[in-house]
Amino acid sequence: MHHADEEPEPPELIRRYVTPDRRYLKLGGGLLRMSGRDRDTFTRNLAKAAREISPRELGILLDGGWRERKTAAWLIAVAGGTEFRERLGELLLASEGPYAGQAYCVALATFGTSADSDLLIAYLDHYLRRPDLYYDQTAALGTLLLLDARHGADQAGRFLTPEGLWQRWTDGPPSKNCDIPGAYREFIGRLCVVADESARHYASEEN
């Protein structure tokens, strides 16, 4: 990522990084439906954007709407921008808008440290106590399970005990039609594979 000499206007950043080829709509489950060639082109273009955008510009996008925040989180994931960890954790916990929380979780998963697990635990501690809110609980739990598997830990275990916070949240009211927790871990893991593919393109151009 480079440093821009002049602060760009948000519409220019949106045009350059968020809307090309409807990028913001594809960052998520849509990536998993792409064919090999389309996925390779997409991940290469994402890596190019991650190289071109500056930290200041990423900060501007993170101050924007859900489209900007979602895109910025993915660019951060690709570039390994761990300096944004706390900001992403704050945005996840604030849950000020829809659609971006999953992207924050993907970025935290790619960072993959105990500090990232702590941010996910803080989120789950808060939002699993709110069965009336269906936000990003499934993505956060799936990400924590993924990090647990990597670290040989069981920090998600206390949420998954019988009559624990996960069961109380899924049972509601209102009740929710949720998959088993492992399905959310697998889904986040598959998104991380795509982020890693783009990160390899990013690294190869840097060298």
Side-chain angles (χ1 to χ4, degrees):
M1 293 185 284
H2 72 275
H3 291 266
D5 293 326
E6 297 181 0
E7 186 167 318
E9 293 295 323
E12 178 189 351
L13 292 180
I14 293 170
R15 178 182 58 79
R16 286 164 57 190
Y17 298 113
V18 179
T19 58
D21 197 29
R22 306 182 80 190
R23 175 179 289 152
Y24 69 93
L25 285 178
K26 298 175 181 177
L27 291 168
L31 291 172
L32 306 181
R33 296 188 290 272
M34 286 185 181
S35 67
R37 180 174 297 179
D38 288 344
R39 179 157 143 173
D40 184 65
T41 298
F42 187 91
T43 55
R44 287 181 183 277
N45 288 337
L46 193 65
K48 181 175 183 292
R51 287 193 304 273
E52 292 175 352
I53 196 167
S54 72
R56 183 171 57 179
E57 291 168 340
L58 284 167
I60 293 171
L61 290 183
L62 289 175
D63 287 334
W66 69 266
R67 296 169 182 84
E68 296 95 305
R69 291 178 174 184
K70 179 181 180 183
T71 305
W74 270 88
L75 295 174
I76 289 166
V78 169
T82 55
E83 68 270 25
F84 288 97
R85 173 183 287 114
E86 295 303 321
R87 177 72 171 127
L88 294 175
E90 291 168 359
L91 289 169
L92 179 63
L93 188 60
S95 291
E96 295 173 336
Y99 308 122
Q102 182 188 96
Y104 306 150
C105 289
V106 169
L108 296 176
T110 62
F111 301 160
T113 71
S114 60
D116 303 292
S117 294
D118 289 344
L119 294 173
L120 296 161
I121 289 167
Y123 178 87
L124 291 166
D125 263 328
H126 182 77
Y127 284 103
L128 288 181
R129 300 177 193 276
R130 294 292 308 272
D132 57 314
L133 301 179
Y134 199 147
Y135 287 174
D136 297 294
Q137 290 93 331
T138 58
L141 181 66
T143 306
L144 184 59
L145 285 167
L146 184 67
L147 294 184
D148 276 352
R150 290 180 187 171
H151 299 155
D154 186 28
Q155 299 204 71
R158 65 185 178 90
F159 298 114
L160 299 174
T161 58
E163 305 300 324
L165 286 178
W166 173 256
Q167 184 176 340
R168 281 183 270 166
W169 179 74
T170 56
D171 289 348
S175 62
K176 301 159 189 71
N177 184 21
C178 290
D179 287 327
I180 61 171
Y184 301 115
R185 184 186 75 178
E186 180 184 359
F187 179 73
I188 294 295
R190 292 176 68 196
L191 292 180
C192 287
V193 168
V194 181
D196 289 344
E197 290 171 5
S198 189
R200 286 195 291 272
H201 294 312
Y202 176 92
S204 67
E205 293 297 328
E206 289 280 291
N207 296 329

